[in-house]
Amino acid sequence: MQLTNTLLTIVCALMGLAWGLICGLLPRKNNRLTDGQQRWIPVLSLIGVGLVVILILLERDLASWVTIGGMVLGLLIGMIPPLNRAALKVWPWLRPRTDNHGQKRR
């Protein structure tokens, strides 16, 4: 049983880190988000909150806290400017909108 708890905690920590990294790499301003990114933001939020709520309901306290910590760490890593630029070259889906469709009128 101990091995199962350890593996669950490690898997949830990696999932939280990946979730936070994706959220950290997305543009901060709504007008810079592409249409595809705007569609996936609610799904990402549901996945993140759902994972933590499920762990809490299963009474996996350590796994839920480690998951939240992984999410925060991934978010902070994704916001580091040199790492952000390098990741956006690798994953073009995360790049911000470059046209003027999201700009406000003057």
Side-chain angles (χ1 to χ4, degrees):
M1 195 69 168
Q2 184 68 20
L3 178 64
T4 315
N5 290 338
T6 305
L7 288 176
L8 177 70
T9 303
I10 291 171
V11 167
C12 289
L14 293 175
M15 288 173 57
L17 187 66
W19 182 92
L21 189 60
I22 290 170
C23 289
L25 292 173
L26 287 171
R28 304 284 167 272
K29 297 181 180 178
N30 271 346
N31 62 353
R32 299 282 299 181
L33 291 170
T34 64
D35 294 334
Q37 291 168 346
Q38 287 177 351
R39 282 191 298 268
W40 276 97
I41 293 275
V43 175
L44 285 173
S45 301
L46 184 65
I47 289 171
V49 172
L51 177 62
V52 173
V53 167
I54 287 171
L55 290 171
I56 291 171
L57 291 175
L58 292 174
E59 297 179 359
R60 306 289 185 185
D61 294 333
L62 178 62
S64 63
W65 282 110
V66 170
T67 302
I68 293 169
M71 289 175 173
V72 170
L73 182 64
L75 187 65
L76 293 175
I77 290 171
M79 293 170 65
I80 298 173
L83 295 177
N84 192 303
R85 283 191 297 271
L88 293 182
K89 288 179 184 176
V90 175
W91 296 303
W93 182 82
L94 296 169
R95 291 183 188 148
R97 173 180 280 178
T98 55
D99 59 3
N100 293 329
H101 284 95
Q103 301 294 328
K104 293 181 180 178
R105 290 188 179 191
R106 293 183 183 181

